[in-house]
Amino acid sequence: METAASSASATHPIRLVVNDDLQRNRLTVFFRLILAIPHFLWASLWSVIAILAWIVNWFATLFTGRSPDGLHNFLATYLRYITHVRAYALLVADPFPGFTGTQGSYPIDLEVDPPEPQNRLTVFFRIILAIPALLLANILSNLSHLLAIFSWFIALVMGRVPEGLRNFAALALRIETQTYGYVMLLTGRYPSFNVGVEA
């Protein structure tokens, strides 16, 4: 099942793919945040390098009009890994994720298209242009954290999460990843705010 806002969202260069069956292991749900601690630590270390890579990528894209392949792939892998970890921590998916951000390795996955030419002017002002999307992503992220509490209780009792809660969390995660991908210059395309979800 792919979460897509519409044909427009399906063709967005950064796409969230959902292959989750809604089933949750009650034991791992109970200890979810404790189990995620190694990922939180690894993500923190990886983030330091990713910030440096983003700065280099900004200069490279500004001067060449295109993100270099190596930087693009590194940042895309980092964003995919963060997506896996957030999906695990927020109960959007159940399996324990890997530490490498490998595409196709997790039920909530991220597809990122190869680099394309970008407008240097929008690259220069990227952070300013991204402010509305960052504000929305922050609001949706906060809502996802609140709803994850409900999902936690429901998953403990029922061994599954409601599809509506999972889909909202996936929507929020999609907008977040597209926003951060836009900021990191993985794409010149603005995040899609379409809220449609296809099964």
Side-chain angles (χ1 to χ4, degrees):
M1 174 171 83
E2 180 174 333
T3 299
S6 64
S7 59
S9 176
T11 58
H12 192 282
I14 299 174
R15 298 170 298 278
L16 190 74
V17 178
V18 179
N19 290 306
D20 169 63
D21 62 4
L22 303 174
Q23 300 300 312
R24 301 293 180 263
N25 180 304
R26 291 181 178 92
L27 185 61
T28 62
V29 165
F30 187 80
F31 294 106
R32 183 60 52 105
L33 291 180
I34 294 172
L35 293 171
I37 287 174
H39 280 292
F40 295 153
L41 295 174
W42 178 237
S44 297
L45 293 173
W46 199 343
S47 294
V48 173
I49 300 169
I51 290 169
L52 296 174
W54 168 73
I55 293 170
V56 174
N57 194 39
W58 184 82
F59 281 106
T61 307
L62 184 63
F63 287 110
T64 66
R66 181 180 180 275
S67 177
D69 289 340
L71 286 169
H72 180 90
N73 293 337
F74 175 81
L75 290 169
T77 302
Y78 165 76
L79 186 59
R80 186 178 303 111
Y81 170 71
I82 295 298
T83 302
H84 294 173
V85 172
R86 285 187 53 75
Y88 179 71
L90 296 175
L91 298 173
V92 186
D94 197 48
F96 190 79
F99 288 85
T100 59
T102 304
Q103 185 171 339
S105 65
Y106 203 65
I108 306 297
D109 206 9
L110 196 66
E111 294 178 346
V112 181
D113 285 351
E116 294 182 348
Q118 297 190 44
N119 182 307
R120 290 183 177 89
L121 189 60
T122 64
V123 168
F124 186 79
F125 292 107
R126 184 59 52 96
I127 293 294
I128 295 171
L129 293 171
I131 288 174
L134 287 167
L135 290 174
L136 177 62
N138 184 53
I139 292 169
L140 291 175
S141 176
N142 290 334
L143 286 172
S144 288
H145 288 114
L146 289 174
L147 291 175
I149 297 170
F150 291 105
S151 293
W152 187 81
F153 282 107
I154 293 169
L156 278 181
V157 174
M158 301 179 60
R160 67 190 320 271
V161 294
E163 186 174 8
L165 287 178
R166 193 280 315 274
N167 285 349
F168 177 84
L171 165 71
L173 200 54
R174 173 178 62 79
I175 291 175
E176 285 177 49
T177 55
Q178 289 180 356
T179 299
Y180 298 136
Y182 178 71
V183 169
M184 291 191 291
L185 303 168
L186 295 176
T187 179
R189 184 159 167 199
Y190 212 70
S192 170
F193 297 146
N194 193 317
V195 297
V197 175
E198 284 181 4

